[in-house]
């Protein structure tokens, strides 16, 4: 199993940027595909971005494509989400998730391990 801890959330004005980090425990981080999800108050959790185990393949939700970049550093057991050109609609709690499954998943039930979440608030 793996423990995940997000950081880097905060408050930013529309058009600004934030970088989220997700630190993973253990020495098998390389074996996990990683993803970011987000959830606004009273709404369903939605997929944001995913990255393959090697970092070679990434996939984004249409709502963030061109603005967000997911990356990973396997030597540091860390996955990142660089968020640029932020909009008020991006306001949510952002969660890091991990899976050892080969299947590419964009739904939350495809991931076995989750962080505690970090709040991102974008003001207009």
């Amino acid at each position: 199993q793996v423990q995940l801890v997000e950081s880097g959330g905060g408050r930013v004005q529309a058009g600004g940027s934030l970088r989220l980090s997700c630190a993973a425990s253990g020495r098998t981080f390389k074996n996990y595909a990683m993803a970011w999800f987000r959830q606004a108050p009273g709404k369903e959790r939605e997929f944001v971005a995913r990255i393959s185990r090697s970092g070679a393949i990434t996939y984004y939700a249409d709502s963030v494509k061109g603005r967000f970049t997911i990356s990973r550093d396997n030597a540091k057991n860390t996955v990142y989400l660089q968020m640029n050109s932020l909009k008020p609609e991006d306001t949510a709690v952002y969660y890091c998730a991990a899976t050892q499954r080969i299947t590419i998943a964009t739904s939350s039930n495809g991931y076995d391990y989750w962080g505690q979440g970090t709040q991102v608030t974008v003001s207009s």
Side-chain angles (χ1 to χ4, degrees):
Q1 63 179 25
V2 61
Q3 301 285 342
L4 306 174
V5 180
E6 301 98 331
S7 63
R11 185 183 301 272
V12 66
Q13 199 168 9
S17 298
L18 285 173
R19 188 177 79 156
L20 306 183
S21 298
C22 175
S25 66
R27 55 201 236 195
T28 58
F29 178 71
K30 183 181 178 180
N31 296 329
Y32 294 86
M34 304 293 296
W36 289 94
F37 290 77
R38 66 187 183 186
Q39 187 167 24
K43 298 185 178 180
E44 69 282 355
R45 188 169 299 186
E46 67 174 353
F47 169 78
V48 176
R50 73 171 304 279
I51 189 166
S52 63
R53 289 176 290 178
S54 69
I57 303 172
T58 59
Y59 184 78
Y60 300 91
D62 288 342
S63 59
V64 306
K65 195 173 299 180
R67 300 188 297 120
F68 291 11
T69 302
I70 188 171
S71 61
R72 68 190 296 161
D73 187 339
N74 287 347
K76 295 182 177 180
N77 277 18
T78 304
V79 63
Y80 305 95
L81 185 68
Q82 178 67 47
M83 304 184 294
N84 298 326
S85 301
L86 282 162
K87 305 175 181 179
E89 309 93 270
D90 296 318
T91 296
V93 177
Y94 283 70
Y95 297 91
C96 177
T99 182
Q100 289 185 286
R101 298 169 184 170
I102 298 298
T103 303
I104 298 174
T106 57
S107 60
S108 60
N109 59 17
Y111 294 84
D112 303 306
Y113 306 100
W114 295 83
Q116 82 288 349
T118 185
Q119 176 71 48
V120 172
T121 302
V122 184
S123 59
S124 59

